[in-house]
Amino acid sequence: MSGPRNHLERILFGETEIRKCIADLGAAITKDYKDKRPLSVVTILQGGALFMADLIREIHLPLKIESISVSSYEGTSSSGTVKFHQNGMPDLNGRHVLILDDILDSGRTLFAIQSRFEGECQPLSIQTCVFLSKQCERAVEIEADYVGFEVGDEFVVGYGLDYNGEYRNLPEIGVLKPEFYEK
Ligand code: IMP
Ligand code: MG
């Protein structure tokens, strides 16, 4: 076998653990949003695509899905600026909004998106849900309302998370062997 899975040095979360975690998150969200309608779930592309696809099937409520595409990472570190790849915003007027992302790191991405939605979209409420929360110092003051797993301050790939655009299709989350990082 020479698939990308062999590029991992360590697996942090396997498929079974990920599935169980998402079922628990979905159950908590279903309970909390039972009387909060209408609901829009907005994922941050590309990283949040797999997370959204799995999580919405564990949220047993009527909802709409939206996405927004931004980038801030270069290689394995945050560039410090969040670039929006589209001009328009999703239609969130008068809706409860749950923003999803693969990982909370410096916090700039979630903060920038939440601020734009608040300023431009007239939502009824906004909450955030990340699959991973990195234990590191945030550059801005933000924590997610729902967190799947906590991870240490290291660079991880898989289940939506990329290194230079690759590894998003790994079904588990892990750390790359040193030889697969560009020198
Ligand atoms: P933040 O804006 O620094 O919180 O970073 C959030 C974005 O950076 C996420 O949406 C990811 O795309 C990316 N990111 C942060 N940490 C990692 C990592 O360990 N692996 C892959 N991508 C990451
Ligand atoms: Mg991302």
Side-chain angles (χ1 to χ4, degrees):
M1 269 221 313
S2 63
R5 197 179 239 147
N6 291 333
H7 295 199
L8 292 182
E9 178 173 80
R10 263 179 304 132
I11 291 177
L12 299 180
F13 307 106
E15 283 183 79
T16 310
E17 246 176 308
I18 290 175
R19 205 174 310 122
K20 163 83 170 68
C21 178
I22 291 197
D24 292 345
L25 278 175
I29 292 164
T30 301
K31 185 164 162 269
D32 295 350
Y33 279 86
K34 193 165 51 72
D35 301 315
K36 286 167 90 177
R37 287 192 66 176
L39 172 62
S40 286
V41 176
V42 186
T43 201
I44 305 175
L45 297 175
Q46 319 287 344
L50 282 75
F51 182 38
M52 159 121 111
D54 288 341
L55 181 64
I56 57 170
R57 285 178 283 178
E58 299 290 344
I59 302 176
H60 304 292
L61 298 171
L63 58 82
K64 281 190 183 177
I65 58 171
E66 304 281 355
S67 61
I68 183 149
S69 175
V70 302
S71 57
S72 65
Y73 249 59
E74 286 163 0
T76 62
S77 58
S78 174
S79 70
T81 51
V82 179
K83 189 165 139 212
F84 285 76
H85 299 298
Q86 74 276 310
N87 297 321
M89 289 286 114
D91 180 10
L92 306 174
N93 194 336
R95 306 184 65 87
H96 293 284
V97 175
L98 182 64
I99 307 173
L100 309 183
D101 202 4
D102 49 5
I103 189 165
L104 176 64
D105 182 10
S106 75
R108 289 189 190 99
T109 303
L110 265 189
F111 186 83
I113 292 172
Q114 183 165 351
S115 306
R116 276 198 74 171
F117 286 176
E118 278 165 2
E120 299 173 35
C121 302
Q122 289 87 44
L124 280 181
S125 70
I126 301 185
Q127 286 202 298
T128 54
C129 173
V130 293
F131 190 58
L132 302 178
S133 174
K134 214 180 256 194
Q135 299 306 102
C136 62
E137 210 174 307
R138 309 280 182 238
V140 292
E141 212 172 300
I142 190 165
E143 286 304 327
D145 297 293
Y146 299 90
V147 173
F149 292 116
E150 306 278 348
V151 284
D153 192 2
E154 61 183 342
F155 193 79
V156 297
V157 297
Y159 196 66
L161 292 144
D162 71 303
Y163 170 61
N164 285 346
E166 296 188 328
Y167 302 106
R168 296 193 196 275
N169 56 329
L170 282 177
E172 57 273 287
I173 292 172
V175 178
L176 283 179
K177 291 176 186 162
E179 63 262 38
F180 293 104
Y181 291 107
E182 273 171 28
K183 299 289 175 313

